[in-house]
Each structure stands twice: as C-alpha cells, then as structure tokens.
Amino acid sequence: MQKQTIAFLFLILSAVSTVNAQLGDRDVDIRFGVGTSKFKGESDYLFLTEYELNAKLRDYFTVAPSILLNHTDNIDIESADFFQANLNAFGSPSRNDRRNDFRMGGGLSFYRLNKGGNSATRSALGLNFVLENTYMINDFFLIGIKVFMQPYFNKDINYGTFLKIGINL
C-alpha cells in the first residue's frame, strides 16, 4: 500500500511539474505539517503529520488533496494508528498570489482510527472546515498555520492545529 501511495504521489507531482514548466508560473506547492488533533469524546490527542499538494486554479481559488498519518514506530500506512485523506477547496479573500495568503476552505474527509487492544477500528466519511494562513519566506519556501474542524457522518468530530512548511514547485 505504501509503494502504491508513493507511486501515485510521484505521478501527480511529475504531471504537475510538466504543466508548471509549460506555464512558466509557480502555481503548485507541497506542504508538510505537524500538529495535534483530538476527537470529541476521546481522552488522547493524536500527534499527526500532514502531506498536502496545493494547486492554484485562480487568484482566489485553490484545491488541495492531503493525507494525515499518526504512527507509533514506523511509516507503513497499513500499521498507522490514524489515517486520513482529504480533498479541500480554498478561497483566498485577499488573493493567493501574495506573500501572505489567508484562506478559508472546506471539503470531504475520510478517516480510519485503530485504537488497538480490544477496540474495533473506526472509519467514516465527513466534511472539513479549515482556516489557514501562509507566509512566503522567499520565492521557494513558505511557513503557515492551520486550524480545522471535521464533523463526520457517524457523529464523530475531529479538531486540531498544524504548523506547516512548504516549497513551491
């Protein structure tokens, strides 16, 4: 599964890089984040890593698929305690082509949580509500902060914050 995910991300990145080279513009970036998340009613916080690909479609509109993982001691997706896949769309009220990009967005989310022991694995489909602020350090590097809330159709609610870094492709 991990090899398939890496191959899929490689294909997306190579296609995006080719399109970007033809356009001569930097409208795609990759962001990595670390942060905490908590499910309503659960006692433990999850320490998560996020991997996100952002594609600017217009000056005010961006789409961003992402994957979030929580691992105990290795990086195999199949053994992750928490796996989440998101597909978000963002609107930037002050445009997304400036040094500072404040954006609001939302989208679809799927998660799988394995608490271990005698507990069963839970999974659900839900929605994302995201606020994010990003600052371009220079033409290639960026930093940002993200807060989110995710209500799921099985009545779970996940919320959290992330500190993010990224590079323009």
Side-chain angles (χ1 to χ4, degrees), residues 12-28:
I12 289 174
L13 290 177
S14 61
V16 166
S17 297
T18 303
V19 170
N20 237 12
Q22 293 171 355
L23 296 174
D25 199 3
R26 296 185 181 272
D27 288 338
V28 176

Side-chain angles (χ1 to χ4, degrees), residues 81-140:
D81 295 327
F82 181 80
F83 169 81
Q84 183 180 80
N86 301 308
L87 180 58
N88 295 320
F90 292 97
S92 300
S94 302
R95 299 177 58 113
N96 60 19
D97 58 354
R98 299 189 175 151
R99 274 239 187 268
N100 192 62
D101 177 21
F102 173 76
R103 61 190 194 172
M104 301 173 282
L108 295 175
S109 178
F110 169 81
Y111 84 89
R112 183 187 75 213
L113 177 65
N114 182 5
K115 293 171 56 175
N118 295 334
S119 300
T121 300
R122 291 193 332 238
S123 62
L125 186 65
L127 302 174
N128 279 332
F129 301 105
V130 182
L131 294 176
E132 189 170 319
N133 194 46
T134 304
Y135 181 77
M136 294 294 301
I137 297 170
N138 57 33
D139 289 341
F140 297 102

Side-chain angles (χ1 to χ4, degrees), residues 65-86:
S66 66
I67 295 174
L68 283 77
L69 300 171
N70 170 275
H71 301 286
T72 52
D73 58 355
N74 58 37
I75 59 170
D76 183 18
I77 290 175
E78 290 298 320
S79 67
D81 295 327
F82 181 80
F83 169 81
Q84 183 180 80
N86 301 308

Side-chain angles (χ1 to χ4, degrees), residues 84 86 109 127-129 148-152 156-159:
Q84 183 180 80
N86 301 308
S109 178
L127 302 174
N128 279 332
F129 301 105
F148 63 90
M149 182 181 77
Q150 299 167 316
Y152 288 94
D156 280 343
I157 296 177
N158 185 26
Y159 53 91

